[in-house]
């Protein structure tokens, strides 16, 4: 019987599920939603008498600010998830871990093990 040793070296995780399970995600999302609401309000106020070109520049600046805010809020959560993935992969002797939606067949699903680390349960 042929056993593909490589399949035992590949782990897979459902990143979106892990992100939703991270306790910090809800707070970060609320903060980001508030920032978006504020940016919309600020844009409406500041752009009232602007030309279309100036409105476009203001919009791009505000979008860039929101992107930076998202990175600031979500970066540490992503780092925590990635560290937990590495920890589980190392403990299981996995050489590679891919996101589940990128895998057609095979791989050891370690999502639950990683979830336990990030949620503390």
């Amino acid at each position: 019987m042929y056993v593909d040793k490589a399949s035992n070296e590949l782990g897979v995780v459902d990143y979106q599920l892990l992100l939703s399970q991270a306790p910090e995600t809800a707070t970060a999302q609320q903060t980001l939603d508030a920032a978006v609401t504020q940016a919309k309000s600020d844009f409406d106020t500041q752009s009232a008498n602007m030309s279309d070109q100036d409105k476009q520049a203001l919009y791009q600046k505000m979008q860039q600010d929101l992107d930076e805010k998202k990175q600031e809020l979500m970066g540490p959560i992503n780092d925590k998830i990635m560290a937990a993935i590495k920890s589980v992969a190392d403990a299981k002797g996995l050489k590679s871990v891919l996101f589940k939606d990128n895998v057609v067949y095979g791989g050891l699903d370690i999502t639950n093990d990683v979830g336990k680390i990030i949620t503390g349960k």
Side-chain angles (χ1 to χ4, degrees):
M1 176 169 112
Y2 174 73
V3 176
D4 183 7
K5 185 175 184 223
S7 67
N8 294 331
E9 296 176 354
L10 176 66
V12 296
V13 293
D14 185 337
Y15 181 81
Q16 292 304 316
L17 178 62
L18 293 170
L19 186 60
S20 72
Q21 289 176 343
E24 304 87 353
T25 299
T27 303
Q29 189 61 53
Q30 289 172 346
T31 302
L32 189 57
D33 290 347
V36 168
T37 300
Q38 185 63 50
K40 286 179 183 177
S41 176
D42 291 349
F43 179 82
D44 291 343
T45 302
Q46 294 176 25
S47 68
N49 296 317
M50 289 183 166
S51 68
D52 287 346
Q53 186 177 5
D54 289 341
K55 284 181 183 180
Q56 181 66 26
L58 177 62
Y59 176 82
Q60 288 176 343
K61 169 72 169 98
M62 289 183 160
Q63 188 62 50
Q64 182 180 354
D65 291 347
L66 288 172
D67 289 345
E68 289 172 6
K69 182 74 168 174
K70 182 177 182 180
Q71 179 58 36
E72 174 188 316
L73 293 168
M74 300 305 288
I77 298 168
N78 182 63
D79 292 347
K80 179 180 177 180
I81 292 170
M82 292 301 173
I85 290 170
K86 181 176 181 345
S87 175
V88 171
D90 289 348
K92 294 189 176 286
L94 301 173
K95 298 201 184 280
S96 299
V97 178
L98 299 174
F99 295 133
K100 198 172 193 175
D101 34 336
N102 292 329
V103 176
V104 176
Y105 176 78
L108 176 65
D109 190 338
I110 60 171
T111 303
N112 289 336
D113 294 327
V114 174
K116 289 175 186 174
I117 292 174
I118 64 172
T119 61
K121 296 179 182 177

